[in-house]
Amino acid sequence: MLVPRMNKTIYIRDADVGVWDRAKELAADGLSPIIVDALRAYVLGREARHKGFERILLAFTDSESHVPKKIAFYGRWIYDLQHPWSYSAESDDLAHRNFAVAETAKGGVAVFSWSSHDEVEYEIGHTFKNYSSFLKAAADPFVRPAIQMAMSKRGVEVEELDI
């Protein structure tokens, strides 16, 4: 099946011709995929901000791989990093498991969690998980209590039944 192609004209300011020429030299597959990727990111960001979402950037050392990570997404905090939902671990009454929960611009859920102690100033066990929905997140026993609280705080959406 042939996919129709459209020709579009892009006008470049004289001051930006050097950047355009250098990009053409570096782009093995041409400039079209680069331009479309940039436009897609621009549209996603603008639409997300218009709906009240912000770009969230997390930097942490992953507890499983022990590798530093930085991740970013558009979302809206329900429980943020400064005011996470937390509970005391049963094995150590000084330890707390903390959960920052965000609704994502694409309707998913992002959960960042870590452990902390009352008497020492360090955090361990950083994990980041994302789910396609609150129901999928609630099915994960690790994050279920935080998700239940986030759903209560955020409000539960009405499920429309066609019965």
Side-chain angles (χ1 to χ4, degrees):
M1 181 169 108
L2 291 174
V3 178
R5 295 176 54 132
M6 289 203 275
N7 289 326
K8 297 292 179 186
T9 302
I10 298 175
Y11 294 96
I12 306 296
R13 294 181 302 187
D14 289 340
D16 296 327
V17 169
V19 173
W20 179 266
D21 290 341
R22 183 67 178 134
K24 277 176 47 177
E25 290 173 19
L26 296 172
D29 295 330
L31 290 177
S32 291
I34 295 168
I35 293 168
V36 170
D37 286 347
L39 289 172
R40 189 176 288 118
Y42 174 80
V43 168
L44 174 66
R46 291 297 291 233
E47 288 178 344
R49 284 191 291 278
H50 181 71
K51 294 176 184 175
F53 294 96
E54 63 181 308
R55 184 171 182 266
I56 296 174
L57 174 66
L58 296 172
F60 61 98
T61 299
D62 184 69
S63 66
E64 291 181 13
S65 64
H66 307 288
V67 175
K69 287 188 175 184
K70 282 187 180 180
I71 55 171
F73 61 93
Y74 285 94
R76 179 175 27 231
W77 288 117
I78 299 170
Y79 288 103
D80 64 21
L81 298 171
Q82 289 75 37
H83 305 97
W85 181 81
S86 64
Y87 68 89
S88 295
E90 294 175 14
S91 61
D92 180 2
D93 59 350
L94 299 177
H96 298 279
R97 192 72 192 162
N98 304 291
F99 296 86
V101 180
E103 175 181 15
T104 70
K106 291 187 173 183
V109 182
V111 182
F112 182 64
S113 63
W114 67 96
S115 292
S116 61
H117 293 75
D118 289 335
E119 295 181 3
V120 291
E121 293 186 27
Y122 69 89
E123 299 171 353
I124 58 171
H126 296 96
T127 62
F128 177 81
K129 294 184 175 193
N130 62 313
Y131 306 88
S132 59
S133 69
F134 278 91
L135 292 178
K136 297 266 187 196
D140 182 343
F142 179 72
V143 300
R144 182 179 299 129
I147 295 300
Q148 290 170 332
M149 295 304 293
M151 289 175 75
S152 294
K153 184 176 179 181
R154 173 185 169 264
V156 178
E157 293 181 18
V158 175
E159 179 181 355
E160 297 290 338
L161 301 177
D162 185 20
I163 55 174

